[in-house]
Amino acid sequence: MYFNFKPNAINSKYGLTVTHTQRVTNNTLCTDPKHLSGEIPSDASIMKPLANADLLKNPTLIKISALLLLTVASFYLGKHWSNDSYHQLLFFSSSATSGTSTPKISISPNSNKTFNLSAIIPSNQTTTPPNPIPIPSVVTETEPNPPPPPPPIQSFGVVDENGAMSDDFEVGEVENVEDWGNQTETVESESDGEAKPNRFRIKKFGMCPESMREYIPCLDNADAIKKLESTERGEKFERHCPEKGNGLNCLVPPPRGYRQPIPWPRSRDEVWFSNVPHTRLVEDKGGQNWISRDTKDKNKFKFPGGGTQFIHGADQYLDQMSKMVSDITFGKHIRVAMDVGCGVASFGAYLLSRDVLTMSVAPKDVHENQIQFALERGVPAMAAAFATRRLLYPSQAFDLIHCSRCRINWTRDDGILLLEINRMLRAGGYFAWAAQPVYKHEAALEEQWTEMLNLTNSLCWKLVQKEGYIAIWQKPLNNSCYLSREAGTKQPLCDETDDPDNVWYSYEIFLYTSLKPCISRIPENGYGGNVPSWPDRLHTPPDRLQTITFDSYIARKELFKAESKFWNEIIGSYIRAMKWKKMKLRNVMDMKAGFGGFAAALNDHKLDCWVLNVVPISGPNTLPVIYDRGLLGVMHDWCEPFDTYPRTYDFLHASGLFSVERKRCEMSTILLEMDRILRPGGRAYIRDSIDVMDEIQEITKAMGWQTSLRDTSEGPHASYRILTCEKRLLKA
């Protein structure tokens, strides 16, 4: 520390002023008596430095010396005041007398004392602590209070508090919750000229009424159902879509307390009650091991894995089927199955672990939420009814079709419903029927069994095994049996002009194909019946590739392989750049599937999800190829709503869809339907041409989606872009 004595004029004949500087170290001063007494040095001692007076008058040297002195003084001054252990306060004083100045130093009388400042401040006085100033403190250090205990660890992932992977975790709430309101807002757009008046565009879509939270537009059209001439054959469970202009124009709300779905594979065994808040199936089917309400945690439904005819569990049931027919090798010869009247889809759920994809179908009937439960579990399912129309699947699609107490009268109308099963069943495929007529010996049930035997014989099906309450038939590999039947036999062969893959007459007139009372022919060349075993069939170009209507110059096999390679590379880049393996992909839909290359790539990259490949009716029908590859698919017109419940898919993929469909309908029609079927927190990737992206972004913003426009791998000058979207959880 430095301190300065006050200057004294010591010798007027030299015109000099001398300043004495002393250093205090360890609370003591230099004890030079001349300095302490203020005595002035002799003239002889002063004259020595004056020998170099000319040098001292150099202004540059003076400035440098002053700067060095200031630097050293600042360093020692800062070092002293930063020493927290220095608690004594020093006081400096001097008394002026004629001709002398004696500085004095004293130590504060309060040194080494402590004070309780809180006792000085009144209890009702609130003080605001000033900004901290670096001065020595006189407050005695005390023991700090122990820190509060850490809050309990609440897991929201699959890593526990020790950093180890764990299956025991809690799923958190959906993020991005926003009060959205139920009012639709519009703004007026400027006209392009006098010939075109101003048009209105939607700035924000409002929320639909709470009563529409499970709305399926084509299955809940009450006005159209009332106008039906008959409903005795199940017509009310078929598609009756709203007329043009009366479609969905709002955002379907989630139920109260909606939560992020439990991830697969845990979702196979339990789902949140708040996501599907219906207890009808628990009341009706709880005793049959379909579903139960968790007695310990009322927030969940549990799925024991049973069914009406397999109350001891699906695994045991599947093992029994494999033992009955040795050719039923799940995951090899049997890859794609259909479960008719599926309940909560436990049959299909347990086949997934055996590498079998099952399309679980059921109508929206008195057990109306069974398909919703299936999709919430993460199992492939669609609302569909065996009534008067062909189902929206191709011929020879399924290796196995299963019906366990599916409440369908297969023999009605000369077996027209079983003829539809025959159309969809692959040549050499199996039909498994578990029902009371198989094993009970009551008169009425025995009559039903006899009728079933006669019908299956007329279809040339072979009863390969009957054991317990299961009967299994096999479809023939060719038409030889049909051609050898007697003339006039019921269930004749369909005309050669009939296309068994045509399930939609024409999208221009919006007609569906009715059921036909005839047996669909098996192709003479064996197409559809000679597919390789899984997994070889996934990348083997199928024979039915040659039946797809394309321009004649296109080499189909090369196109098939090129599509697979393209999507394999794209998915690989998504995994690397967009961390797809961290995304919660389970229920995936490819809205314009082509040959199914996108779904095949997801399988190749080991993403634990299933894909519903949708083939739009506005393009070539590639569904037979998709099923021959061992994948699932359906035909659909995207200018109409899709037959699924709201909030049932985690991911929607649309490549080149909007640039085609915008010629037929409004893009907002398709996007609102995407919003309906996408789960909150779910994502959509839209890959399309630049000229449609502005309108798509405008609509998705009006739906409350978060979007980001990205370049494709071709770079910023390519004609395509990728719009990545995330649906937020909105509430009115």
Side-chain angles (χ1 to χ4, degrees), residues 543-555:
D543 294 332
R544 287 201 283 182
L545 188 63
Q546 305 304 321
T547 67
I548 307 301
T549 304
F550 277 131
D551 295 335
S552 58
Y553 65 88
I554 293 180

Side-chain angles (χ1 to χ4, degrees), residues 534-666:
W534 180 263
D536 294 340
R537 62 193 284 185
L538 181 63
H539 291 295
T540 302
D543 294 332
R544 287 201 283 182
L545 188 63
Q546 305 304 321
T547 67
I548 307 301
T549 304
F550 277 131
D551 295 335
S552 58
Y553 65 88
I554 293 180
R556 291 171 174 80
K557 287 188 177 181
E558 285 71 16
L559 188 63
F560 175 90
K561 294 178 180 178
E563 185 196 85
S564 295
K565 181 180 179 182
F566 173 80
W567 284 117
N568 203 286
E569 292 175 354
I570 293 297
I571 297 301
S573 67
Y574 287 167
I575 291 174
R576 292 188 299 271
M578 302 183 187
K579 312 300 181 185
W580 267 31
K581 289 203 172 180
K582 294 183 179 180
M583 289 171 58
K584 296 176 181 178
L585 292 179
R586 181 58 194 168
N587 301 358
V588 178
M589 178 186 289
D590 189 2
M591 300 175 68
K592 188 173 181 287
F595 296 129
F598 180 81
L602 291 177
N603 180 85
D604 291 343
H605 285 281
K606 309 299 182 185
L607 292 169
D608 194 9
C609 61
W610 60 269
V611 182
L612 183 60
N613 296 277
V614 181
V615 175
I617 65 171
S618 55
N621 184 3
T622 56
L623 270 181
V625 173
I626 288 172
Y627 275 92
D628 287 354
R629 299 187 73 173
L631 304 172
L632 294 176
V634 66
M635 181 165 278
H636 183 62
D637 179 4
W638 280 116
C639 291
E640 294 184 0
F642 193 80
D643 288 342
T644 191
Y645 281 84
R647 303 172 301 279
T648 47
Y649 283 85
D650 303 301
F651 187 87
L652 302 178
H653 179 250
S655 178
L657 176 70
F658 288 92
S659 54
V660 174
E661 299 297 345
R662 66 171 175 168
K663 303 170 185 176
R664 303 179 48 237
C665 55
E666 296 289 338

Side-chain angles (χ1 to χ4, degrees), residues 168-346:
D168 185 18
F169 63 90
E170 181 179 349
V171 179
E173 301 296 331
V174 179
E175 297 179 354
N176 298 328
V177 181
E178 180 175 333
D179 291 328
W180 189 253
N182 54 10
Q183 296 296 321
T184 297
E185 299 178 6
T186 61
V187 294
E188 187 175 5
S189 299
E190 295 182 358
S191 63
D192 296 333
E194 295 181 359
K196 293 184 179 181
N198 290 2
R199 59 184 290 268
F200 289 89
R201 63 177 179 84
I202 303 297
K203 182 180 179 182
K204 186 180 82 169
F205 288 98
M207 302 295 289
C208 301
E210 184 72 17
S211 59
M212 295 176 64
R213 67 186 188 187
E214 292 169 0
Y215 179 59
I216 305 177
C218 293
L219 302 182
D220 293 329
N221 189 352
D223 293 337
I225 293 174
K226 289 178 182 177
K227 297 177 182 178
L228 293 174
E229 296 180 0
S230 173
T231 59
E232 63 180 10
R233 288 178 170 81
E235 292 89 344
K236 65 180 179 180
F237 301 125
E238 295 179 315
R239 289 171 60 84
H240 304 284
C241 298
E243 296 179 359
K244 189 174 182 180
N246 295 329
L248 192 67
N249 59 0
C250 55
L251 307 177
V252 175
R256 296 180 184 274
Y258 181 85
R259 306 180 70 171
Q260 182 176 334
I262 295 173
W264 181 267
R266 279 185 58 203
S267 61
R268 189 194 72 173
D269 303 323
E270 61 182 16
V271 301
W272 295 118
F273 170 80
S274 57
N275 290 8
V276 193
H278 300 282
T279 58
R280 173 71 182 268
L281 278 178
V282 176
E283 297 164 1
D284 292 351
K285 301 295 183 179
Q288 298 173 5
N289 251 4
W290 279 32
I291 183 174
S292 63
R293 188 87 177 270
D294 195 332
T295 55
K296 297 181 179 179
D297 186 358
K298 293 293 184 180
N299 292 323
K300 293 178 182 177
F301 286 114
K302 294 286 188 178
F303 301 94
T308 304
Q309 291 297 145
F310 46 95
I311 59 175
H312 299 297
D315 271 331
Q316 178 181 334
Y317 183 72
L318 295 171
D319 290 340
Q320 181 184 352
M321 292 178 63
S322 295
K323 292 176 182 177
M324 290 173 63
V325 181
S326 59
D327 194 39
I328 296 181
T329 53
F330 295 118
K332 294 182 180 179
H333 182 63
I334 306 297
R335 164 61 182 175
V336 187
M338 171 182 276
D339 187 18
V340 182
C342 62
V344 293
S346 288

Side-chain angles (χ1 to χ4, degrees), residues 479-492:
N479 296 320
S480 59
C481 174
Y482 305 135
L483 297 174
S484 63
R485 296 181 307 169
E486 296 181 3
T489 302
K490 281 191 174 182
Q491 293 84 36

Side-chain angles (χ1 to χ4, degrees), residues 97-119:
T97 59
S98 59
T100 64
S101 176
T102 304
K104 296 180 180 180
I105 303 172
S106 62
I107 298 177
S108 170
N110 294 325
S111 177
N112 299 323
K113 293 184 180 181
T114 60
F115 299 92
N116 183 5
L117 299 181
S118 60

